[in-house]
Amino acid sequence: MIFRPEYVEKIMTYMDTPFVKILTGIRRSGKSTIMNMISMEIEKRGVSCDRILYYNFDSLEYEGITAKELFITVKNQLSSNQKTYLFFDEIQEIDGWEKIVNSLMSDFDVDIYVTGSNSRMMSSEIATYLTGRYISFRVYPLSFSEFLEFRKSFTVVDEPRRELIKYLQYGGFPAIHLREYTKEEAYPIVRDIYNSTIFTDIVKRNNIRKIDQFERVVRYVFDNIGNTFSASSITRYLKSEQRTLDNETVYNYLSKLESAYIICRCNRYDIKGKELLKTQEKFYLTDPALRYCVLGYKADSAAAMLENIVYMELLRGGYEVSVGKFDGYEIDFVATKQDEKIYVQVAKEIASESTREIEYGRLLEIRDNYPKYVLLDDDYAGGNYQGIKTIHIADFLLSKDF
């Protein structure tokens, strides 16, 4: 088990507080392992094993159990005179789980941690039963720095700029970074994660019958990472393939993909007007390997997926991220966190003066004092151009300063 301190330390801050700690994220992103790490940390702090109770609802042991039956089971195992620490893994499999957690929090001396892999963890039922009583933590596949730490456990790690190529191709699902895999070995593992998410968390749960249409929408989204498009764009594309699908259904499919944490929606932001725009969003994948396991690896997709990687790193850093619109131009990312703001342009390389003018010129037009970055996958990336920092993408991903 390789420690993921950023998550453990953040979550442990809320130990023994009157909040349910909810860990959400795509399947196999490491939620269960992080929860195990938390339970081990609690034990290190002097809590006896009999006061740490762990329930895995993917287990056949709990198949068919009702909320009332589970509540009674847990209640009978609680410590009679000291706090009990409860860990519920994939709790969304239990209908009415919110009522169980609320009752336990209200009636007993407990500290509760739960994980889940879809939007039912953030549904209106939680707001109804746990209003003001929960804190959610999004667990992502491995960041670039975590990817390097995992690789150090079984191989000699190359210089980060070289390792970025592997991260781009393999992504960050922990399961494929426990030993050395070829792409032919790794992608079937990611494909299994993708299939279980698509067919369990989306198709089966939402009773989607036109699976072929749904998969065509998925492929369109995966093939257009980093491009702005709308539901009508997908509708027109399907029509060209003699497939009929209305915009509302497309929006519904996109929403389901978001709910299962496969894609993330990135809205456009009018920098001058200081408002979010409701059309022509971008979508990014939670992990780049999802694209390659579905569409196959293509070298010409590298620029879009580098942009994808930077977007996900900004989310991990706690930023709210938008695509910037400024005088008809596009800024790749406007990232805000409380009173902080940064502007980011991402490019694989700058091969000509005209490209340089585009990448830097757009940022120079923004007349404020917030930090501005141009990120490149270029060994010569570095320096400062009229106040704009030029950084290699690998160095930016490992930096703690942005």
Side-chain angles (χ1 to χ4, degrees):
M1 185 186 299
I2 299 172
F3 201 60
R4 299 181 72 180
E6 291 185 9
Y7 289 103
V8 174
E9 291 168 7
K10 186 186 300 182
I11 296 166
M12 287 299 293
T13 300
Y14 296 93
M15 177 184 174
D16 292 334
T17 61
F19 301 106
V20 180
K21 278 65 75 174
I22 301 179
L23 285 65
T24 66
I26 192 169
R27 287 174 177 265
R28 306 286 293 279
S29 57
K31 301 182 299 297
S32 301
T33 303
I34 290 170
M35 199 158 74
N36 275 322
M37 293 174 183
I38 293 168
S39 68
M40 291 167 59
E41 183 64 26
I42 290 174
E43 188 176 349
K44 285 180 184 177
R45 298 189 183 190
V47 178
S48 59
C49 293
D50 61 310
R51 292 198 288 128
I52 302 173
L53 305 180
Y54 186 97
Y55 304 86
N56 176 15
F57 297 107
D58 270 343
S59 170
L60 194 62
E61 179 181 359
Y62 298 104
E63 184 176 4
I65 192 171
T66 66
K68 184 65 175 292
E69 290 168 343
L70 178 61
F71 176 75
I72 294 171
T73 297
V74 174
K75 183 179 72 171
N76 290 338
Q77 294 176 329
L78 298 177
S79 172
S80 59
N81 56 8
Q82 289 181 292
K83 186 184 292 289
T84 304
Y85 295 82
L86 300 174
F87 293 85
F88 298 129
D89 198 4
E90 297 296 344
I91 198 172
Q92 82 279 350
E93 298 301 328
I94 306 297
D95 287 332
W97 69 267
E98 304 93 340
K99 296 180 182 179
I100 301 173
V101 169
N102 185 62
S103 295
L104 290 168
M105 287 287 290
S106 299
D107 301 339
F108 302 97
D109 187 12
V110 295
D111 194 24
I112 301 179
Y113 304 79
V114 306
T115 75
S117 299
N118 62 49
S119 62
R120 291 180 63 182
M121 301 304 301
M122 293 291 112
S123 66
S124 59
E125 285 79 5
I126 298 181
T128 299
Y129 293 106
L130 300 178
T131 302
R133 304 187 68 182
Y134 72 92
I135 297 177
S136 62
F137 302 89
R138 175 78 176 269
V139 176
Y140 298 96
L142 304 179
S143 66
F144 183 51
S145 62
E146 289 178 317
F147 160 85
L148 295 177
E149 288 302 313
F150 269 58
R151 286 185 56 77
K152 286 176 185 176
S153 69
F154 62 82
T155 191
V156 176
V157 174
D158 202 346
E159 192 272 332
R161 296 184 181 189
R162 305 284 81 78
E163 290 289 343
L164 180 61
I165 300 170
K166 296 187 182 75
Y167 185 59
L168 174 72
Q169 295 175 341
Y170 285 79
F173 284 108
I176 62 173
H177 298 299
L178 299 176
R179 70 172 182 83
E180 196 74 65
Y181 285 106
T182 65
K183 289 196 289 288
E184 290 72 22
E185 294 167 333
Y187 288 163
I189 297 172
V190 180
R191 180 79 190 194
D192 179 64
I193 297 170
Y194 166 81
N195 284 335
S196 63
T197 304
I198 288 289
F199 292 105
T200 301
D201 291 339
I202 301 179
V203 172
K204 182 179 177 182
R205 194 177 298 280
N206 297 285
N207 195 28
I208 293 176
R209 296 179 180 179
K210 297 182 179 179
I211 299 175
D212 177 64
Q213 283 187 343
F214 175 68
E215 289 193 308
R216 285 174 183 269
V217 171
V218 172
R219 293 178 72 87
Y220 182 93
V221 174
F222 282 24
D223 202 31
N224 283 275
I225 292 302
N227 296 328
T228 54
F229 61 84
S230 63
S232 58
S233 305
I234 300 177
T235 301
R236 287 193 299 270
Y237 163 74
L238 292 174
K239 187 176 181 180
S240 72
E241 293 198 334
Q242 285 73 53
R243 303 279 175 172
T244 302
L245 198 61
D246 60 84
N247 286 352
E248 184 176 348
T249 302
V250 171
Y251 277 122
N252 182 54
Y253 286 167
L254 293 174
S255 176
K256 301 307 179 191
L257 289 167
E258 285 185 88
S259 297
Y261 303 111
I262 288 179
I263 63 173
C264 301
R265 185 188 304 262
C266 188
N267 293 311
R268 290 194 306 149
Y269 176 76
D270 186 336
I271 295 173
K272 277 191 171 181
K274 298 183 179 180
E275 63 177 351
L276 286 174
L277 304 174
K278 297 181 180 180
T279 58
Q280 295 291 315
E281 306 105 324
K282 286 189 179 184
F283 291 87
Y284 293 97
L285 292 172
T286 297
D287 190 87
L290 290 168
R291 173 174 178 154
Y292 298 135
C293 81
V294 173
L295 301 181
Y297 178 75
K298 297 178 182 178
D300 61 4
S301 67
M305 297 316 295
L306 286 169
E307 185 178 311
N308 196 126
I309 288 170
V310 171
Y311 171 78
M312 294 307 302
E313 189 63 26
L314 290 169
L315 291 187
R316 288 187 185 94
Y319 286 93
E320 293 184 10
V321 188
S322 305
V323 177
K325 175 184 174 294
F326 188 84
D327 284 347
Y329 295 113
E330 183 179 285
I331 306 300
D332 285 339
F333 301 123
V334 180
T336 59
K337 180 166 58 176
Q338 298 174 352
D339 58 348
E340 299 176 33
K341 181 186 292 184
I342 61 174
Y343 300 98
V344 180
Q345 285 286 93
V346 184
K348 195 171 188 308
E349 60 184 358
I350 293 180
S352 66
E353 187 59 33
S354 60
T355 304
R356 177 180 297 276
E357 290 176 2
I358 290 172
E359 300 298 344
Y360 288 93
R362 294 177 181 181
L363 293 174
L364 289 171
E365 288 294 322
I366 303 171
R367 308 293 185 180
D368 64 28
N369 295 318
Y370 291 111
K372 301 174 179 66
Y373 298 90
V374 170
L375 309 183
L376 303 174
D377 182 25
D378 183 336
D379 283 342
Y380 297 101
N384 188 300
Y385 181 82
Q386 296 187 41
I388 299 171
K389 297 178 182 178
T390 305
I391 304 176
H392 193 285
I393 292 172
D395 298 335
F396 181 83
L397 296 175
L398 296 176
S399 171
K400 301 298 180 184
D401 297 331
F402 70 88

PDB file of all heavy atoms in Angstrom, residues 194-207:
ATOM      1  N   TYR A 194     -13.499   1.207 -17.132  1.00  0.00           N
ATOM      2  CA  TYR A 194     -14.441   1.963 -17.977  1.00  0.00           C
ATOM      3  C   TYR A 194     -15.749   1.191 -18.149  1.00  0.00           C
ATOM      4  O   TYR A 194     -16.839   1.748 -17.950  1.00  0.00           O
ATOM      5  CB  TYR A 194     -13.794   2.231 -19.333  1.00  0.00           C
ATOM      6  CG  TYR A 194     -14.745   2.705 -20.400  1.00  0.00           C
ATOM      7  CD1 TYR A 194     -15.129   4.036 -20.476  1.00  0.00           C
ATOM      8  CD2 TYR A 194     -15.258   1.813 -21.338  1.00  0.00           C
ATOM      9  CE1 TYR A 194     -16.001   4.475 -21.459  1.00  0.00           C
ATOM     10  CE2 TYR A 194     -16.132   2.237 -22.323  1.00  0.00           C
ATOM     11  CZ  TYR A 194     -16.507   3.568 -22.383  1.00  0.00           C
ATOM     12  OH  TYR A 194     -17.380   3.996 -23.344  1.00  0.00           O
ATOM     13  N   ASN A 195     -15.657  -0.083 -18.504  1.00  0.00           N
ATOM     14  CA  ASN A 195     -16.871  -0.873 -18.737  1.00  0.00           C
ATOM     15  C   ASN A 195     -17.716  -1.011 -17.486  1.00  0.00           C
ATOM     16  O   ASN A 195     -18.947  -0.883 -17.538  1.00  0.00           O
ATOM     17  CB  ASN A 195     -16.499  -2.267 -19.259  1.00  0.00           C
ATOM     18  CG  ASN A 195     -16.084  -2.255 -20.717  1.00  0.00           C
ATOM     19  OD1 ASN A 195     -16.483  -1.373 -21.476  1.00  0.00           O
ATOM     20  ND2 ASN A 195     -15.289  -3.233 -21.127  1.00  0.00           N
ATOM     21  N   SER A 196     -17.074  -1.271 -16.351  1.00  0.00           N
ATOM     22  CA  SER A 196     -17.847  -1.433 -15.113  1.00  0.00           C
ATOM     23  C   SER A 196     -18.521  -0.129 -14.722  1.00  0.00           C
ATOM     24  O   SER A 196     -19.643  -0.127 -14.201  1.00  0.00           O
ATOM     25  CB  SER A 196     -16.945  -1.936 -13.976  1.00  0.00           C
ATOM     26  OG  SER A 196     -15.937  -0.994 -13.681  1.00  0.00           O
ATOM     27  N   THR A 197     -17.870   0.997 -14.998  1.00  0.00           N
ATOM     28  CA  THR A 197     -18.466   2.295 -14.696  1.00  0.00           C
ATOM     29  C   THR A 197     -19.620   2.594 -15.643  1.00  0.00           C
ATOM     30  O   THR A 197     -20.711   2.990 -15.220  1.00  0.00           O
ATOM     31  CB  THR A 197     -17.409   3.412 -14.792  1.00  0.00           C
ATOM     32  OG1 THR A 197     -16.313   3.105 -13.927  1.00  0.00           O
ATOM     33  CG2 THR A 197     -18.003   4.755 -14.401  1.00  0.00           C
ATOM     34  N   ILE A 198     -19.375   2.396 -16.946  1.00  0.00           N
ATOM     35  CA  ILE A 198     -20.399   2.681 -17.951  1.00  0.00           C
ATOM     36  C   ILE A 198     -21.631   1.818 -17.739  1.00  0.00           C
ATOM     37  O   ILE A 198     -22.774   2.320 -17.701  1.00  0.00           O
ATOM     38  CB  ILE A 198     -19.835   2.457 -19.370  1.00  0.00           C
ATOM     39  CG1 ILE A 198     -18.846   3.566 -19.745  1.00  0.00           C
ATOM     40  CG2 ILE A 198     -20.964   2.377 -20.395  1.00  0.00           C
ATOM     41  CD1 ILE A 198     -19.464   4.919 -19.998  1.00  0.00           C
ATOM     42  N   PHE A 199     -21.437   0.521 -17.576  1.00  0.00           N
ATOM     43  CA  PHE A 199     -22.586  -0.382 -17.574  1.00  0.00           C
ATOM     44  C   PHE A 199     -23.219  -0.566 -16.194  1.00  0.00           C
ATOM     45  O   PHE A 199     -24.408  -0.856 -16.106  1.00  0.00           O
ATOM     46  CB  PHE A 199     -22.184  -1.736 -18.172  1.00  0.00           C
ATOM     47  CG  PHE A 199     -21.871  -1.644 -19.639  1.00  0.00           C
ATOM     48  CD1 PHE A 199     -20.574  -1.676 -20.098  1.00  0.00           C
ATOM     49  CD2 PHE A 199     -22.895  -1.474 -20.562  1.00  0.00           C
ATOM     50  CE1 PHE A 199     -20.289  -1.558 -21.444  1.00  0.00           C
ATOM     51  CE2 PHE A 199     -22.626  -1.351 -21.914  1.00  0.00           C
ATOM     52  CZ  PHE A 199     -21.322  -1.394 -22.361  1.00  0.00           C
ATOM     53  N   THR A 200     -22.458  -0.353 -15.137  1.00  0.00           N
ATOM     54  CA  THR A 200     -23.050  -0.480 -13.791  1.00  0.00           C
ATOM     55  C   THR A 200     -23.585   0.858 -13.289  1.00  0.00           C
ATOM     56  O   THR A 200     -24.733   0.959 -12.859  1.00  0.00           O
ATOM     57  CB  THR A 200     -22.011  -1.027 -12.792  1.00  0.00           C
ATOM     58  OG1 THR A 200     -21.548  -2.297 -13.246  1.00  0.00           O
ATOM     59  CG2 THR A 200     -22.631  -1.179 -11.415  1.00  0.00           C
ATOM     60  N   ASP A 201     -22.755   1.891 -13.363  1.00  0.00           N
ATOM     61  CA  ASP A 201     -23.135   3.181 -12.792  1.00  0.00           C
ATOM     62  C   ASP A 201     -23.998   4.022 -13.723  1.00  0.00           C
ATOM     63  O   ASP A 201     -24.640   4.976 -13.264  1.00  0.00           O
ATOM     64  CB  ASP A 201     -21.883   3.989 -12.424  1.00  0.00           C
ATOM     65  CG  ASP A 201     -21.127   3.373 -11.258  1.00  0.00           C
ATOM     66  OD1 ASP A 201     -21.747   2.604 -10.510  1.00  0.00           O
ATOM     67  OD2 ASP A 201     -19.924   3.645 -11.115  1.00  0.00           O
ATOM     68  N   ILE A 202     -24.006   3.708 -15.013  1.00  0.00           N
ATOM     69  CA  ILE A 202     -24.775   4.538 -15.948  1.00  0.00           C
ATOM     70  C   ILE A 202     -25.879   3.739 -16.636  1.00  0.00           C
ATOM     71  O   ILE A 202     -27.059   3.976 -16.409  1.00  0.00           O
ATOM     72  CB  ILE A 202     -23.842   5.185 -16.996  1.00  0.00           C
ATOM     73  CG1 ILE A 202     -22.783   6.052 -16.313  1.00  0.00           C
ATOM     74  CG2 ILE A 202     -24.660   6.031 -17.979  1.00  0.00           C
ATOM     75  CD1 ILE A 202     -21.804   6.718 -17.268  1.00  0.00           C
ATOM     76  N   VAL A 203     -25.512   2.767 -17.467  1.00  0.00           N
ATOM     77  CA  VAL A 203     -26.508   2.050 -18.279  1.00  0.00           C
ATOM     78  C   VAL A 203     -27.510   1.313 -17.406  1.00  0.00           C
ATOM     79  O   VAL A 203     -28.731   1.496 -17.530  1.00  0.00           O
ATOM     80  CB  VAL A 203     -25.811   1.074 -19.249  1.00  0.00           C
ATOM     81  CG1 VAL A 203     -26.839   0.191 -19.946  1.00  0.00           C
ATOM     82  CG2 VAL A 203     -25.001   1.845 -20.278  1.00  0.00           C
ATOM     83  N   LYS A 204     -27.009   0.501 -16.493  1.00  0.00           N
ATOM     84  CA  LYS A 204     -27.902  -0.293 -15.647  1.00  0.00           C
ATOM     85  C   LYS A 204     -28.678   0.572 -14.668  1.00  0.00           C
ATOM     86  O   LYS A 204     -29.900   0.449 -14.527  1.00  0.00           O
ATOM     87  CB  LYS A 204     -27.092  -1.349 -14.886  1.00  0.00           C
ATOM     88  CG  LYS A 204     -27.935  -2.268 -14.017  1.00  0.00           C
ATOM     89  CD  LYS A 204     -27.044  -3.288 -13.322  1.00  0.00           C
ATOM     90  CE  LYS A 204     -27.863  -4.177 -12.384  1.00  0.00           C
ATOM     91  NZ  LYS A 204     -26.978  -5.149 -11.672  1.00  0.00           N
ATOM     92  N   ARG A 205     -27.994   1.481 -14.009  1.00  0.00           N
ATOM     93  CA  ARG A 205     -28.637   2.293 -12.978  1.00  0.00           C
ATOM     94  C   ARG A 205     -29.692   3.230 -13.551  1.00  0.00           C
ATOM     95  O   ARG A 205     -30.685   3.536 -12.909  1.00  0.00           O
ATOM     96  CB  ARG A 205     -27.583   3.109 -12.210  1.00  0.00           C
ATOM     97  CG  ARG A 205     -28.096   3.719 -10.910  1.00  0.00           C
ATOM     98  CD  ARG A 205     -26.979   4.449 -10.181  1.00  0.00           C
ATOM     99  NE  ARG A 205     -25.898   3.558  -9.806  1.00  0.00           N
ATOM    100  CZ  ARG A 205     -25.928   2.765  -8.737  1.00  0.00           C
ATOM    101  NH1 ARG A 205     -27.002   2.747  -7.966  1.00  0.00           N
ATOM    102  NH2 ARG A 205     -24.902   1.998  -8.446  1.00  0.00           N
ATOM    103  N   ASN A 206     -29.463   3.685 -14.799  1.00  0.00           N
ATOM    104  CA  ASN A 206     -30.391   4.629 -15.417  1.00  0.00           C
ATOM    105  C   ASN A 206     -31.271   4.000 -16.495  1.00  0.00           C
ATOM    106  O   ASN A 206     -31.991   4.699 -17.198  1.00  0.00           O
ATOM    107  CB  ASN A 206     -29.610   5.802 -16.012  1.00  0.00           C
ATOM    108  CG  ASN A 206     -28.873   6.597 -14.959  1.00  0.00           C
ATOM    109  OD1 ASN A 206     -29.466   7.370 -14.213  1.00  0.00           O
ATOM    110  ND2 ASN A 206     -27.554   6.401 -14.877  1.00  0.00           N
ATOM    111  N   ASN A 207     -31.178   2.676 -16.607  1.00  0.00           N
ATOM    112  CA  ASN A 207     -32.028   1.933 -17.542  1.00  0.00           C
ATOM    113  C   ASN A 207     -31.937   2.494 -18.968  1.00  0.00           C
ATOM    114  O   ASN A 207     -32.945   2.711 -19.642  1.00  0.00           O
ATOM    115  CB  ASN A 207     -33.487   1.954 -17.066  1.00  0.00           C
ATOM    116  CG  ASN A 207     -34.336   0.917 -17.762  1.00  0.00           C
ATOM    117  OD1 ASN A 207     -33.838  -0.136 -18.191  1.00  0.00           O
ATOM    118  ND2 ASN A 207     -35.620   1.192 -17.908  1.00  0.00           N
TER     119      ASN A 207
END
